[in-house]
Amino acid sequence: MDINKLIERVKNILLTPKTEWPVIAQEQTDVAKLYTGYIMILAAIPAVINFLTYSIRGSVVAGLVALILGYALSLGLTFLMAIIIDALAPTFGGEKNQIQALKTAAYANTAGWVAGVFGIIPILGMLIIWAALIYGCVLLYFGLPHTMKSPPDKTGGYFAVVLVINIVLSFIAMMIIGGIVAAMLIGAAVVAH
């Protein structure tokens, strides 16, 4: 892993997505390289912050559970979204390509993963994360025509369907993590008393 390349990619996708997406679309890579060189590293940011937050405000055990579940679900959801992006491509005039779909899912998540570092700051951190998630939607919209070759007249519909599915799946994942961690914290409070 080249940390300088990682930082450069993060900077470029966040600051100049219109010029970075064509570069991304042309790159030759595979699933393992995308995961080990980008996805696993960036997805760890919010997972580690969740661990710290739960450990400070609740318990280390709850923090560990949030870390493991959050990280695993983030990695899994990225892959699942890539499958969905790939499967929907022909419906919206795009080209099926699993690697391009994984690039789309991964790089569109960049803003949210990086902003995860602000999760340690109450209220303001959540506002920053929400802004980053909205910006991730912009990244997704800009990426689809380059990576999945969706025509301009169908990109809006493609984006909307992918976005709705992503929101639903993310909500389910948050409910799973929140429910398990809340149950652990309640259980720990009952045992402590």
Side-chain angles (χ1 to χ4, degrees), residues 43-105:
I45 295 170
V48 169
I49 295 301
N50 279 340
F51 166 73
L52 294 172
T53 302
Y54 280 110
S55 295
I56 291 167
R57 297 181 191 154
S59 74
V60 173
V61 173
L64 281 172
V65 170
L67 170 96
I68 293 166
L69 282 176
Y71 190 58
L73 285 171
S74 184
L75 297 177
L77 279 175
T78 302
F79 192 75
L80 181 58
M81 286 310 303
I83 291 169
I84 292 166
I85 289 166
D86 188 45
L88 289 172
T91 304
F92 295 97
E95 296 177 9
K96 283 181 67 70
N97 184 314
Q98 293 175 343
I99 297 298
Q100 294 288 38
L102 183 57
K103 288 181 194 177
T104 307

Short mmCIF file of all heavy atoms in Angstrom, two decimals, residues 43-105:
data_model
loop_
_atom_site.label_atom_id
_atom_site.label_comp_id
_atom_site.label_asym_id
_atom_site.label_seq_id
_atom_site.Cartn_x
_atom_site.Cartn_y
_atom_site.Cartn_z
N ALA A 43 -12.69 2.67 5.52
CA ALA A 43 -13.83 2.20 6.31
C ALA A 43 -13.46 2.02 7.78
O ALA A 43 -14.33 2.02 8.65
CB ALA A 43 -14.36 0.89 5.74
N ALA A 44 -12.18 1.90 8.05
CA ALA A 44 -11.73 1.76 9.44
C ALA A 44 -11.86 3.07 10.22
O ALA A 44 -11.98 3.04 11.45
CB ALA A 44 -10.28 1.28 9.48
N ILE A 45 -11.86 4.20 9.54
CA ILE A 45 -11.91 5.50 10.24
C ILE A 45 -13.16 5.61 11.10
O ILE A 45 -13.06 5.81 12.32
CB ILE A 45 -11.79 6.67 9.24
CG1 ILE A 45 -10.41 6.66 8.57
CG2 ILE A 45 -12.03 8.01 9.96
CD1 ILE A 45 -10.28 7.63 7.41
N PRO A 46 -14.37 5.53 10.54
CA PRO A 46 -15.55 5.64 11.40
C PRO A 46 -15.67 4.49 12.40
O PRO A 46 -16.17 4.69 13.51
CB PRO A 46 -16.74 5.67 10.44
CG PRO A 46 -16.22 5.18 9.14
CD PRO A 46 -14.75 5.41 9.12
N ALA A 47 -15.18 3.32 12.04
CA ALA A 47 -15.25 2.17 12.96
C ALA A 47 -14.41 2.44 14.21
O ALA A 47 -14.86 2.19 15.33
CB ALA A 47 -14.79 0.90 12.25
N VAL A 48 -13.21 2.94 14.02
CA VAL A 48 -12.33 3.25 15.15
C VAL A 48 -12.92 4.39 15.99
O VAL A 48 -12.90 4.33 17.22
CB VAL A 48 -10.90 3.58 14.67
CG1 VAL A 48 -10.05 4.17 15.79
CG2 VAL A 48 -10.25 2.34 14.08
N ILE A 49 -13.46 5.39 15.33
CA ILE A 49 -14.07 6.51 16.07
C ILE A 49 -15.27 6.02 16.87
O ILE A 49 -15.47 6.44 18.02
CB ILE A 49 -14.46 7.65 15.10
CG1 ILE A 49 -13.21 8.26 14.47
CG2 ILE A 49 -15.29 8.72 15.81
CD1 ILE A 49 -12.19 8.84 15.43
N ASN A 50 -16.08 5.13 16.30
CA ASN A 50 -17.20 4.55 17.04
C ASN A 50 -16.70 3.79 18.27
O ASN A 50 -17.29 3.88 19.35
CB ASN A 50 -18.03 3.61 16.16
CG ASN A 50 -19.01 4.35 15.30
OD1 ASN A 50 -19.36 5.49 15.57
ND2 ASN A 50 -19.43 3.71 14.23
N PHE A 51 -15.62 3.05 18.11
CA PHE A 51 -15.03 2.33 19.24
C PHE A 51 -14.65 3.32 20.34
O PHE A 51 -14.98 3.13 21.51
CB PHE A 51 -13.79 1.54 18.80
CG PHE A 51 -12.96 1.06 19.95
CD1 PHE A 51 -13.41 0.02 20.76
CD2 PHE A 51 -11.75 1.66 20.25
CE1 PHE A 51 -12.66 -0.41 21.85
CE2 PHE A 51 -10.99 1.23 21.33
CZ PHE A 51 -11.44 0.19 22.13
N LEU A 52 -13.95 4.39 19.97
CA LEU A 52 -13.54 5.38 20.96
C LEU A 52 -14.74 6.05 21.63
O LEU A 52 -14.76 6.22 22.85
CB LEU A 52 -12.64 6.44 20.30
CG LEU A 52 -11.29 5.94 19.79
CD1 LEU A 52 -10.59 7.04 18.99
CD2 LEU A 52 -10.43 5.44 20.93
N THR A 53 -15.73 6.41 20.82
CA THR A 53 -16.92 7.08 21.35
C THR A 53 -17.66 6.18 22.34
O THR A 53 -18.00 6.61 23.44
CB THR A 53 -17.86 7.49 20.20
OG1 THR A 53 -17.13 8.35 19.31
CG2 THR A 53 -19.07 8.23 20.71
N TYR A 54 -17.94 4.94 21.94
CA TYR A 54 -18.66 4.03 22.84
C TYR A 54 -17.82 3.69 24.07
O TYR A 54 -18.35 3.53 25.16
CB TYR A 54 -19.06 2.74 22.12
CG TYR A 54 -20.31 2.89 21.28
CD1 TYR A 54 -20.25 2.86 19.89
CD2 TYR A 54 -21.55 3.06 21.87
CE1 TYR A 54 -21.40 2.99 19.12
CE2 TYR A 54 -22.70 3.19 21.12
CZ TYR A 54 -22.61 3.15 19.74
OH TYR A 54 -23.75 3.29 18.99
N SER A 55 -16.51 3.59 23.90
CA SER A 55 -15.64 3.27 25.03
C SER A 55 -15.61 4.40 26.05
O SER A 55 -15.60 4.16 27.25
CB SER A 55 -14.21 2.97 24.53
OG SER A 55 -14.22 1.82 23.74
N ILE A 56 -15.61 5.63 25.55
CA ILE A 56 -15.59 6.80 26.44
C ILE A 56 -16.93 6.98 27.14
O ILE A 56 -17.00 7.24 28.33
CB ILE A 56 -15.22 8.08 25.65
CG1 ILE A 56 -13.76 8.00 25.20
CG2 ILE A 56 -15.46 9.33 26.48
CD1 ILE A 56 -13.37 9.04 24.15
N ARG A 57 -18.01 6.83 26.38
CA ARG A 57 -19.36 7.13 26.90
C ARG A 57 -20.06 5.91 27.50
O ARG A 57 -21.07 6.06 28.18
CB ARG A 57 -20.22 7.71 25.79
CG ARG A 57 -19.69 9.03 25.29
CD ARG A 57 -20.57 9.59 24.23
NE ARG A 57 -19.88 10.73 23.60
CZ ARG A 57 -20.10 11.13 22.38
NH1 ARG A 57 -20.99 10.52 21.63
NH2 ARG A 57 -19.44 12.14 21.89
N GLY A 58 -19.59 4.72 27.19
CA GLY A 58 -20.30 3.52 27.65
C GLY A 58 -19.34 2.51 28.21
O GLY A 58 -18.90 2.61 29.34
N SER A 59 -18.99 1.55 27.38
CA SER A 59 -18.07 0.51 27.83
C SER A 59 -17.15 0.10 26.68
O SER A 59 -17.51 0.24 25.51
CB SER A 59 -18.85 -0.71 28.33
OG SER A 59 -19.39 -1.43 27.25
N VAL A 60 -16.01 -0.42 27.03
CA VAL A 60 -15.05 -0.89 26.03
C VAL A 60 -15.64 -2.05 25.24
O VAL A 60 -15.45 -2.15 24.03
CB VAL A 60 -13.70 -1.26 26.69
CG1 VAL A 60 -12.76 -1.91 25.68
CG2 VAL A 60 -13.06 -0.05 27.33
N VAL A 61 -16.39 -2.91 25.91
CA VAL A 61 -17.00 -4.05 25.23
C VAL A 61 -17.99 -3.55 24.17
O VAL A 61 -17.99 -4.03 23.03
CB VAL A 61 -17.69 -5.00 26.24
CG1 VAL A 61 -18.46 -6.09 25.51
CG2 VAL A 61 -16.67 -5.59 27.18
N ALA A 62 -18.83 -2.59 24.53
CA ALA A 62 -19.77 -2.02 23.57
C ALA A 62 -19.01 -1.36 22.42
O ALA A 62 -19.40 -1.46 21.25
CB ALA A 62 -20.69 -1.01 24.24
N GLY A 63 -17.90 -0.71 22.76
CA GLY A 63 -17.06 -0.09 21.74
C GLY A 63 -16.49 -1.12 20.78
O GLY A 63 -16.47 -0.91 19.56
N LEU A 64 -16.04 -2.24 21.32
CA LEU A 64 -15.49 -3.31 20.46
C LEU A 64 -16.57 -3.90 19.55
O LEU A 64 -16.31 -4.17 18.37
CB LEU A 64 -14.87 -4.41 21.31
CG LEU A 64 -13.48 -4.12 21.86
CD1 LEU A 64 -13.05 -5.21 22.85
CD2 LEU A 64 -12.48 -4.00 20.72
N VAL A 65 -17.75 -4.09 20.11
CA VAL A 65 -18.86 -4.62 19.30
C VAL A 65 -19.21 -3.64 18.19
O VAL A 65 -19.38 -4.03 17.03
CB VAL A 65 -20.09 -4.94 20.18
CG1 VAL A 65 -21.30 -5.25 19.33
CG2 VAL A 65 -19.77 -6.10 21.11
N ALA A 66 -19.29 -2.35 18.53
CA ALA A 66 -19.59 -1.32 17.52
C ALA A 66 -18.50 -1.29 16.46
O ALA A 66 -18.79 -1.16 15.26
CB ALA A 66 -19.73 0.04 18.18
N LEU A 67 -17.25 -1.42 16.87
CA LEU A 67 -16.13 -1.42 15.94
C LEU A 67 -16.24 -2.59 14.97
O LEU A 67 -16.20 -2.40 13.75
CB LEU A 67 -14.80 -1.50 16.69
CG LEU A 67 -13.57 -1.74 15.82
CD1 LEU A 67 -12.90 -0.43 15.47
CD2 LEU A 67 -12.60 -2.67 16.49
N ILE A 68 -16.38 -3.78 15.50
CA ILE A 68 -16.40 -4.99 14.67
C ILE A 68 -17.62 -5.01 13.76
O ILE A 68 -17.51 -5.23 12.55
CB ILE A 68 -16.32 -6.25 15.55
CG1 ILE A 68 -14.96 -6.31 16.24
CG2 ILE A 68 -16.58 -7.51 14.73
CD1 ILE A 68 -14.87 -7.31 17.39
N LEU A 69 -18.80 -4.77 14.34
CA LEU A 69 -20.02 -4.79 13.52
C LEU A 69 -20.02 -3.67 12.49
O LEU A 69 -20.37 -3.89 11.33
CB LEU A 69 -21.26 -4.67 14.41
CG LEU A 69 -21.71 -5.91 15.14
CD1 LEU A 69 -22.90 -5.59 16.04
CD2 LEU A 69 -22.07 -7.01 14.18
N GLY A 70 -19.67 -2.47 12.93
CA GLY A 70 -19.66 -1.33 12.01
C GLY A 70 -18.70 -1.54 10.85
O GLY A 70 -19.03 -1.27 9.69
N TYR A 71 -17.52 -2.03 11.17
CA TYR A 71 -16.51 -2.25 10.14
C TYR A 71 -16.95 -3.34 9.17
O TYR A 71 -16.90 -3.17 7.95
CB TYR A 71 -15.18 -2.60 10.81
CG TYR A 71 -13.99 -2.64 9.89
CD1 TYR A 71 -13.63 -1.53 9.14
CD2 TYR A 71 -13.21 -3.79 9.77
CE1 TYR A 71 -12.53 -1.56 8.30
CE2 TYR A 71 -12.11 -3.82 8.93
CZ TYR A 71 -11.77 -2.71 8.20
OH TYR A 71 -10.68 -2.73 7.38
N ALA A 72 -17.41 -4.46 9.72
CA ALA A 72 -17.85 -5.57 8.87
C ALA A 72 -19.03 -5.16 7.99
O ALA A 72 -19.06 -5.48 6.79
CB ALA A 72 -18.22 -6.78 9.74
N LEU A 73 -19.99 -4.45 8.57
CA LEU A 73 -21.14 -4.02 7.78
C LEU A 73 -20.75 -3.01 6.72
O LEU A 73 -21.28 -3.03 5.60
CB LEU A 73 -22.24 -3.47 8.68
CG LEU A 73 -23.03 -4.52 9.45
CD1 LEU A 73 -23.96 -3.89 10.48
CD2 LEU A 73 -23.82 -5.41 8.50
N SER A 74 -19.81 -2.13 7.03
CA SER A 74 -19.35 -1.15 6.04
C SER A 74 -18.68 -1.85 4.86
O SER A 74 -18.95 -1.53 3.70
CB SER A 74 -18.38 -0.16 6.69
OG SER A 74 -18.00 0.83 5.77
N LEU A 75 -17.82 -2.81 5.16
CA LEU A 75 -17.16 -3.57 4.09
C LEU A 75 -18.18 -4.36 3.27
O LEU A 75 -18.13 -4.38 2.04
CB LEU A 75 -16.11 -4.52 4.68
CG LEU A 75 -14.93 -3.87 5.41
CD1 LEU A 75 -14.02 -4.93 6.00
CD2 LEU A 75 -14.18 -2.90 4.53
N GLY A 76 -19.12 -4.99 3.97
CA GLY A 76 -20.14 -5.77 3.30
C GLY A 76 -21.10 -4.92 2.47
O GLY A 76 -21.45 -5.29 1.34
N LEU A 77 -21.52 -3.79 3.03
CA LEU A 77 -22.44 -2.91 2.31
C LEU A 77 -21.78 -2.33 1.05
O LEU A 77 -22.45 -2.15 0.03
CB LEU A 77 -22.93 -1.76 3.20
CG LEU A 77 -24.06 -2.10 4.15
CD1 LEU A 77 -24.38 -0.92 5.05
CD2 LEU A 77 -25.30 -2.52 3.38
N THR A 78 -20.50 -2.05 1.12
CA THR A 78 -19.79 -1.54 -0.06
C THR A 78 -19.84 -2.59 -1.16
O THR A 78 -20.13 -2.27 -2.32
CB THR A 78 -18.33 -1.18 0.29
OG1 THR A 78 -18.34 -0.20 1.34
CG2 THR A 78 -17.60 -0.63 -0.92
N PHE A 79 -19.59 -3.83 -0.81
CA PHE A 79 -19.62 -4.91 -1.79
C PHE A 79 -21.05 -5.13 -2.31
O PHE A 79 -21.26 -5.28 -3.52
CB PHE A 79 -19.06 -6.20 -1.20
CG PHE A 79 -18.81 -7.25 -2.24
CD1 PHE A 79 -17.73 -7.16 -3.09
CD2 PHE A 79 -19.67 -8.33 -2.35
CE1 PHE A 79 -17.50 -8.13 -4.06
CE2 PHE A 79 -19.44 -9.31 -3.32
CZ PHE A 79 -18.36 -9.21 -4.17
N LEU A 80 -22.02 -5.12 -1.41
CA LEU A 80 -23.42 -5.30 -1.81
C LEU A 80 -23.88 -4.17 -2.74
O LEU A 80 -24.56 -4.41 -3.74
CB LEU A 80 -24.32 -5.39 -0.57
CG LEU A 80 -25.82 -5.60 -0.83
CD1 LEU A 80 -26.07 -6.87 -1.63
CD2 LEU A 80 -26.57 -5.65 0.50
N MET A 81 -23.49 -2.94 -2.42
CA MET A 81 -23.85 -1.82 -3.28
C MET A 81 -23.19 -1.96 -4.65
O MET A 81 -23.80 -1.60 -5.67
CB MET A 81 -23.49 -0.48 -2.64
CG MET A 81 -24.42 -0.08 -1.51
SD MET A 81 -26.20 -0.17 -1.90
CE MET A 81 -26.34 0.90 -3.32
N ALA A 82 -21.98 -2.49 -4.69
CA ALA A 82 -21.32 -2.71 -5.98
C ALA A 82 -22.11 -3.72 -6.81
O ALA A 82 -22.30 -3.53 -8.02
CB ALA A 82 -19.89 -3.20 -5.76
N ILE A 83 -22.60 -4.77 -6.17
CA ILE A 83 -23.40 -5.77 -6.87
C ILE A 83 -24.67 -5.13 -7.42
O ILE A 83 -25.07 -5.37 -8.57
CB ILE A 83 -23.74 -6.96 -5.94
CG1 ILE A 83 -22.47 -7.76 -5.63
CG2 ILE A 83 -24.82 -7.85 -6.54
CD1 ILE A 83 -22.64 -8.79 -4.53
N ILE A 84 -25.30 -4.29 -6.61
CA ILE A 84 -26.54 -3.62 -7.03
C ILE A 84 -26.27 -2.63 -8.16
O ILE A 84 -27.01 -2.58 -9.15
CB ILE A 84 -27.21 -2.94 -5.81
CG1 ILE A 84 -27.73 -4.02 -4.85
CG2 ILE A 84 -28.32 -1.99 -6.25
CD1 ILE A 84 -28.10 -3.52 -3.47
N ILE A 85 -25.22 -1.84 -8.03
CA ILE A 85 -24.85 -0.88 -9.08
C ILE A 85 -24.60 -1.62 -10.39
O ILE A 85 -25.06 -1.19 -11.45
CB ILE A 85 -23.61 -0.06 -8.65
CG1 ILE A 85 -23.99 0.92 -7.53
CG2 ILE A 85 -22.99 0.69 -9.84
CD1 ILE A 85 -22.80 1.55 -6.81
N ASP A 86 -23.89 -2.74 -10.31
CA ASP A 86 -23.59 -3.52 -11.50
C ASP A 86 -24.87 -4.12 -12.10
O ASP A 86 -25.09 -4.05 -13.31
CB ASP A 86 -22.60 -4.63 -11.14
CG ASP A 86 -22.09 -5.38 -12.35
OD1 ASP A 86 -21.74 -4.72 -13.36
OD2 ASP A 86 -22.05 -6.62 -12.30
N ALA A 87 -25.72 -4.68 -11.25
CA ALA A 87 -26.95 -5.31 -11.74
C ALA A 87 -27.90 -4.31 -12.40
O ALA A 87 -28.57 -4.64 -13.38
CB ALA A 87 -27.67 -6.02 -10.58
N LEU A 88 -27.93 -3.08 -11.88
CA LEU A 88 -28.85 -2.07 -12.42
C LEU A 88 -28.32 -1.37 -13.67
O LEU A 88 -29.09 -0.71 -14.38
CB LEU A 88 -29.14 -1.02 -11.35
CG LEU A 88 -30.00 -1.45 -10.17
CD1 LEU A 88 -30.04 -0.37 -9.10
CD2 LEU A 88 -31.40 -1.79 -10.65
N ALA A 89 -27.04 -1.49 -13.95
CA ALA A 89 -26.43 -0.74 -15.06
C ALA A 89 -27.18 -0.89 -16.39
O ALA A 89 -27.52 0.13 -17.01
CB ALA A 89 -24.97 -1.13 -15.21
N PRO A 90 -27.49 -2.10 -16.84
CA PRO A 90 -28.18 -2.22 -18.14
C PRO A 90 -29.56 -1.58 -18.14
O PRO A 90 -30.01 -1.07 -19.17
CB PRO A 90 -28.28 -3.73 -18.36
CG PRO A 90 -27.26 -4.34 -17.47
CD PRO A 90 -27.13 -3.41 -16.30
N THR A 91 -30.23 -1.59 -17.01
CA THR A 91 -31.57 -0.99 -16.91
C THR A 91 -31.52 0.50 -17.23
O THR A 91 -32.48 1.06 -17.76
CB THR A 91 -32.14 -1.19 -15.49
OG1 THR A 91 -32.12 -2.58 -15.19
CG2 THR A 91 -33.54 -0.64 -15.36
N PHE A 92 -30.40 1.13 -16.93
CA PHE A 92 -30.25 2.56 -17.15
C PHE A 92 -29.24 2.87 -18.26
O PHE A 92 -28.60 3.93 -18.26
CB PHE A 92 -29.87 3.25 -15.84
CG PHE A 92 -30.95 3.15 -14.81
CD1 PHE A 92 -30.91 2.15 -13.84
CD2 PHE A 92 -32.04 4.00 -14.83
CE1 PHE A 92 -31.93 2.04 -12.90
CE2 PHE A 92 -33.06 3.89 -13.89
CZ PHE A 92 -33.00 2.90 -12.92
N GLY A 93 -29.10 1.95 -19.19
CA GLY A 93 -28.27 2.18 -20.36
C GLY A 93 -26.77 2.09 -20.11
O GLY A 93 -25.98 2.47 -20.97
N GLY A 94 -26.38 1.62 -18.93
CA GLY A 94 -24.96 1.51 -18.61
C GLY A 94 -24.42 0.14 -18.97
O GLY A 94 -25.13 -0.71 -19.51
N GLU A 95 -23.14 -0.04 -18.68
CA GLU A 95 -22.47 -1.30 -18.97
C GLU A 95 -22.18 -2.05 -17.67
O GLU A 95 -21.64 -1.46 -16.73
CB GLU A 95 -21.15 -1.04 -19.70
CG GLU A 95 -21.32 -0.41 -21.05
CD GLU A 95 -19.98 -0.10 -21.71
OE1 GLU A 95 -18.92 -0.52 -21.20
OE2 GLU A 95 -20.01 0.59 -22.75
N LYS A 96 -22.51 -3.33 -17.65
CA LYS A 96 -22.19 -4.16 -16.48
C LYS A 96 -20.67 -4.34 -16.39
O LYS A 96 -20.03 -4.64 -17.38
CB LYS A 96 -22.86 -5.53 -16.58
CG LYS A 96 -24.34 -5.51 -16.26
CD LYS A 96 -24.96 -6.88 -16.34
CE LYS A 96 -24.50 -7.86 -15.31
NZ LYS A 96 -24.90 -7.63 -13.94
N ASN A 97 -20.15 -4.12 -15.20
CA ASN A 97 -18.73 -4.32 -14.96
C ASN A 97 -18.53 -4.32 -13.45
O ASN A 97 -18.65 -3.27 -12.80
CB ASN A 97 -17.89 -3.22 -15.62
CG ASN A 97 -16.41 -3.45 -15.48
OD1 ASN A 97 -15.91 -3.78 -14.40
ND2 ASN A 97 -15.69 -3.27 -16.58
N GLN A 98 -18.24 -5.47 -12.88
CA GLN A 98 -18.18 -5.60 -11.42
C GLN A 98 -17.09 -4.73 -10.80
O GLN A 98 -17.29 -4.15 -9.73
CB GLN A 98 -17.97 -7.07 -11.04
CG GLN A 98 -19.15 -7.93 -11.36
CD GLN A 98 -18.88 -9.40 -11.07
OE1 GLN A 98 -17.74 -9.84 -10.93
NE2 GLN A 98 -19.95 -10.18 -10.98
N ILE A 99 -15.94 -4.64 -11.44
CA ILE A 99 -14.85 -3.83 -10.88
C ILE A 99 -15.22 -2.36 -10.92
O ILE A 99 -15.01 -1.62 -9.95
CB ILE A 99 -13.52 -4.09 -11.63
CG1 ILE A 99 -13.09 -5.54 -11.45
CG2 ILE A 99 -12.43 -3.13 -11.16
CD1 ILE A 99 -12.82 -5.96 -10.01
N GLN A 100 -15.78 -1.91 -12.03
CA GLN A 100 -16.19 -0.50 -12.13
C GLN A 100 -17.28 -0.19 -11.09
O GLN A 100 -17.30 0.89 -10.51
CB GLN A 100 -16.69 -0.17 -13.54
CG GLN A 100 -15.62 -0.26 -14.60
CD GLN A 100 -14.60 0.88 -14.53
OE1 GLN A 100 -14.20 1.34 -13.47
NE2 GLN A 100 -14.17 1.34 -15.69
N ALA A 101 -18.16 -1.14 -10.87
CA ALA A 101 -19.22 -0.95 -9.87
C ALA A 101 -18.62 -0.85 -8.47
O ALA A 101 -19.05 -0.03 -7.65
CB ALA A 101 -20.23 -2.09 -9.94
N LEU A 102 -17.61 -1.68 -8.18
CA LEU A 102 -16.96 -1.61 -6.87
C LEU A 102 -16.21 -0.29 -6.71
O LEU A 102 -16.23 0.31 -5.64
CB LEU A 102 -16.02 -2.80 -6.65
CG LEU A 102 -15.35 -2.86 -5.27
CD1 LEU A 102 -16.39 -2.89 -4.13
CD2 LEU A 102 -14.43 -4.08 -5.19
N LYS A 103 -15.57 0.17 -7.77
CA LYS A 103 -14.92 1.49 -7.73
C LYS A 103 -15.96 2.56 -7.40
O LYS A 103 -15.71 3.44 -6.57
CB LYS A 103 -14.28 1.83 -9.08
CG LYS A 103 -13.05 1.08 -9.46
CD LYS A 103 -12.60 1.61 -10.83
CE LYS A 103 -11.59 0.77 -11.51
NZ LYS A 103 -11.25 1.32 -12.85
N THR A 104 -17.10 2.49 -8.05
CA THR A 104 -18.16 3.47 -7.83
C THR A 104 -18.60 3.48 -6.37
O THR A 104 -18.67 4.54 -5.74
CB THR A 104 -19.37 3.18 -8.74
OG1 THR A 104 -18.93 3.08 -10.10
CG2 THR A 104 -20.42 4.27 -8.63
N ALA A 105 -18.89 2.30 -5.85
CA ALA A 105 -19.34 2.20 -4.45
C ALA A 105 -18.26 2.68 -3.49
O ALA A 105 -18.54 3.41 -2.54
CB ALA A 105 -19.74 0.77 -4.13
#
